[in-house]
Amino acid sequence: MKTTVFEKGKQKMNAIKGASAVALGSAVALASAALPVFASEGGGGADDAIVSGMTSAASSMTGLVTKAVPIVVPIMTAVIVVKFGMGLFKKLSGKASS
């Protein structure tokens, strides 16, 4: 059975969703694992440890987003263009047949 372009796009989107969920989960786990280490260093205290850990997690998530955007934007653009084209065709063909 042949796989259509839409099915391939759907499979890619599902793979991206799964990968982003795993990446987000690992980033949260990394941040929660890193917080006690920062707190035990004897530096400024728990508030500095939390700020440092969350900054690290935020930079990690930003890196993931910058990697995913070049993949997601063309796919979403194609989906929007196809939906718009189908709607326009239905509108025009409905008026033409009346």
Side-chain angles (χ1 to χ4, degrees), residues 37-51:
V37 172
F38 287 129
S40 67
E41 288 180 355
D47 56 346
D48 291 338
I50 290 172
V51 169

Side-chain angles (χ1 to χ4, degrees), residues 2-97:
K2 281 190 169 180
T3 305
T4 64
V5 173
F6 295 113
E7 290 171 347
K8 287 181 183 178
K10 198 180 281 189
Q11 290 170 354
K12 286 182 183 178
M13 287 301 294
N14 288 337
I16 291 170
K17 285 179 186 176
S20 62
V22 169
L24 179 62
S26 62
V28 170
L30 177 66
S32 65
L35 288 178
V37 172
F38 287 129
S40 67
E41 288 180 355
D47 56 346
D48 291 338
I50 290 172
V51 169
S52 177
M54 290 300 149
T55 304
S56 171
S59 65
S60 174
M61 288 180 204
T62 304
L64 293 172
V65 169
T66 57
K67 289 179 184 176
V69 165
I71 298 168
V72 173
V73 169
I75 293 171
M76 291 305 297
T77 304
V79 168
I80 291 170
V81 167
V82 168
K83 283 186 177 184
F84 178 76
M86 288 174 65
L88 184 65
F89 178 76
K90 285 180 183 179
K91 219 183 261 189
L92 293 174
S93 64
K95 288 182 181 178
S97 64

